[in-house]
Amino acid sequence: MTVASELTLTSTTAGGFLLVLAVFVPVVGMLTAFSTGGRQVARVGLVTVGFGLLVAGATGVRWLQAGEPLVYVLGRWMPPLGVALRADGPAVVMMAVVAVVMAAVAVFARASFETPADVGEARRPFAFWILLLGVWAGLNAVFLSGDLFTLYVALELITFAAVPLVSLDGRAETLAAALRYLLFALLGSILYLGGAGILYGAYGTLDIVLLAGRVESATATRVAGALMTVGMLAKTALVPLHLWLPPAHAGAPAAASAVLSALVVKGSFFVVVRLWFGAMPGLPGFGAAQLLSGLGAAAILLGSVVALRQQRLKLLVAYSTLAQIGYLFLVFALALDPASSRIEAGGALTGGMLQAITHAMAKAAMFLSAGMIYAGLGHDRIDGLAGSFRTMPVCVLAFGLGGLALMGMPPSGAALAKDLLVRASGDTGQWWWAVVLDVGGALTSSYVLLVLAHALRPAREPSTTRVPWTQQLAALALAMGALMLGLLPWGAFLIVPEGAASTTSGFASVWKMLLPVLAGGALAGLLGHWGEAWPRPSRVGVLAAVRPVRRAAAVVGRAFEGADLALRRWPVATQALLLLAILFSLAFLAPDTPR
Amino acid sequence: MSGTVEIGLCGALAAGLGLYGVLVHPHPLRKILAFNVLASGMFLLFGVVARRGAAAGLGADPVPQALLITAIVVSFAATALAVVLLLQLFAASHDVSLRPGGPTDPKSDRDGR
């Protein structure tokens, strides 16, 4: 299992043309949809999704047959002058996940983005399908890019396609959210571009494999690395640079939110992975890796607590995305090999990839279910969910299963990911990340249990409008898929350490699974908004004793919400961006430190 | 190599001014303009890199120039998209502030839409 650092540059491998198709098929779909327009847009979109699934599957099969990375050199011009597309294990796996989620979202969107019968063309469906294919083309280009500038172009394609998805319904708040997203993302990408320019000036190439051989720890490289990393953090909305994400993901239509949360943020995360693991593995040291993962831990804490305090379902799921993004960034500290002081691809990276994949499918399921619940009930207030389990069982089930997958219920991919990450923290002697992972598990359980508890409450059945069964099936399939990801043979695609894939049995593992759920339930009771659902303590008892604790917890919760609101102000976030850029350049290894 | 240091400093100045503008000005149109100034600073950096990479027979390294042209097109598209969004926002609400918690924040929308 090789990653970019060991890839060869030689000519196109057999089956390399599949890589071109992976980017080409969605683009052709976009152009066809744009030219046919009108009522055909959805049909073109669905056909393209079908072809895209085929290409992703074929790439996976080819990868299994070849046993080595697939390469395609564009125009037969060798790097550094030419551009090479490379598919290694992580790239193949991400492409497959994107294809699966896109397929489910496309099935879901057939019902919500229909052109009405009496008009020739409607703006929302026309825009949605074309933008969906644009995001797909950009994502595939990110996973397959072999050099840093193609990554920049591909990321910009994703951003320009994702921003209008936020404001599809044309309301003022979603337009503001889209504009905020675009401006902050542009700030991130122009910093990335500056870093790329400095790197080219220093080493004469932007090809990832060539750079890995040439990069040394000079001041220019440290600054470039810091700029590029921080730019990508702004696009991935890692706390404290998350000002655009909650309004954008919560305001978009359900299918668009699913794509934004599940897939778009993974693109910029993948760029950081390529940077740290591929182009400059020896440059960050202990300090920079701890800083990056520390931001991830802060994201888990802030995102989860603020998610618990939300009163609207879509905002809860959006803040949950913030927390899960934090999980992804724990990989970098855990992948630092203490002996060589280099970032090595191993069990930690596999854990991160698995977490990303599980989150993609589970979060898409959760957003699709939230959309269906809103369509069915007419609102998405959490305290108004009582009775929805009886009227919309499949939607609540899809939400619950997606949440269980995120919580780390075996055999979901997140359970395997957590095992791998805890194992890596033990191997590298960084026990504190295991604590972070456990706390994170409890926090994830808390907001899932909050929603489920509200949905399971009996109530006079609210009146609901029927939701198409295809939509319910799509969401349910995604959730169940996320829950079963741990069963797949990941060892064929990613590096899985010995003995990690086997699920242990016994009382210890039951307790290990049960403890986060119990802790999560307690947190949900303390921090969540219950309104009149919280039983009135009629006599002195447990509930009366808990009341002062709940009041204290409410104070803590409001403090977290205040911190989030403060961080989401533009001047604070931009200054945090600059501060992080300075901190990272200082934290990267100094020139005279032995690597 | 003459002039590269001066151009580089100009690029740094432009980047600094642009970054300051993006940070400080609350009006989105000013942020868009400041972003363009910041981008111009980065493009000047690419120009300096190209000039310093001059080889026999060529006045400047062509690769950074190609990257530069691509980046200019990308930032042009970005500016166009941002301006259109701004115009739509103004048409929809006449309040173009990007403050969180303001009237254009979904948290203030209690109906759960």
Side-chain angles (χ1 to χ4, degrees), chain A residues 1 57-68 70 92 489 491-493:
Chain A
M1 260 47 65
T59 314
V61 166
R62 194 78 200 89
W63 159 266
L64 285 174
Q65 288 173 343
E68 57 169 21
L70 306 171
V92 169
F493 296 96

Side-chain angles (χ1 to χ4, degrees), chain A residues 80-81 147 149 152-153 156 159-161 163-164 167 170-180 182-183 186-187 189-191 193-198 200-201 204 206 227 246-248 250-251 306 310-312 315 319 374 378-381 383 561 564-565 568-572 574-575 577-578, chain B residues 18-19 21-29 31-32 35 38-40 42-43 45-46 49-50 52 61-64 66-75 77-86 88-90 92-93 95-101 103-113:
Chain A
L81 193 58
D147 73 291
F149 193 76
Y152 167 75
V153 175
E156 293 301 82
T159 304
F160 296 162
V163 162
S167 63
R171 282 182 297 137
E173 2 358 318
T174 55
L175 284 167
L179 188 56
R180 197 184 294 121
L182 180 61
L183 289 176
L186 285 177
L187 187 55
S189 59
I190 203 70
L191 288 182
L193 188 66
I198 296 175
Y200 187 85
L206 284 177
L227 284 176
V306 181
Q310 292 308 312
Q311 290 167 309
R312 283 186 49 212
L315 275 172
Y319 275 100
Y374 167 51
H379 68 84
D380 71 341
R381 284 193 325 272
D383 53 16
E561 283 183 287
D564 168 64
L565 199 63
R568 283 199 294 124
R569 291 181 54 230
W570 189 276
V572 177
T574 339
Q575 286 174 53
L577 183 73
L578 292 177
Chain B
L19 206 48
V22 171
L23 205 160
V24 163
H25 290 300
H27 196 288
L29 185 57
K31 290 199 207 286
I32 296 171
F35 161 73
L38 169 58
S40 303
M42 296 299 185
F43 299 154
L45 169 70
F46 270 87
V49 165
R52 288 169 67 114
D61 186 349
V63 173
L67 303 183
L68 176 55
I69 294 173
T70 312
I72 288 176
V73 171
V74 167
S75 83
T79 308
L81 181 58
V83 168
V84 166
L85 276 176
L86 180 59
Q88 293 279 49
L89 176 59
F90 184 72
S93 83
D95 175 359
V96 294
S97 128
L98 296 181
R99 287 185 336 255
T104 51
D105 186 279
K107 277 194 89 159
S108 59
D109 178 7
R110 288 277 319 174
D111 293 337
R113 260 182 286 110

Side-chain angles (χ1 to χ4, degrees), chain A residues 301-355:
Chain A
L301 188 59
L302 183 69
S304 305
V305 173
V306 181
L308 261 183
R309 300 286 300 167
Q310 292 308 312
Q311 290 167 309
R312 283 186 49 212
L313 188 59
K314 286 194 81 175
L315 275 172
L316 182 144
V317 184
Y319 275 100
S320 152
T321 301
L322 267 186
Q324 298 293 321
I325 289 171
Y327 262 103
L328 297 179
F329 281 92
L330 294 180
V331 170
F332 296 100
L334 294 171
L336 188 69
D337 184 6
S340 65
S341 195
R342 289 170 70 86
I343 307 269
E344 304 278 351
L349 179 62
T350 308
M353 292 273 101
L354 278 175
Q355 181 72 29

Side-chain angles (χ1 to χ4, degrees), chain A residues 38 141 211 245 279 288 351 393 489 525 538 577:
Chain A
L211 266 182
L245 192 142
S538 54
L577 183 73

Side-chain angles (χ1 to χ4, degrees), chain A residues 484-544:
Chain A
M484 296 194 285
L485 277 177
L487 300 172
L488 290 175
W490 295 108
F493 296 96
L494 302 168
I495 304 174
V496 179
E498 300 287 317
S502 59
T503 49
T504 54
S505 52
F507 287 116
S509 53
V510 170
W511 177 243
K512 200 173 61 161
M513 203 177 78
L514 207 51
L515 184 60
V517 176
L518 293 175
L523 281 171
L526 286 179
L527 280 170
H529 282 284
W530 290 92
E532 33 195 60
W534 190 256
R536 216 163 288 284
S538 54
R539 56 188 185 280
V540 177
V542 175
L543 288 174

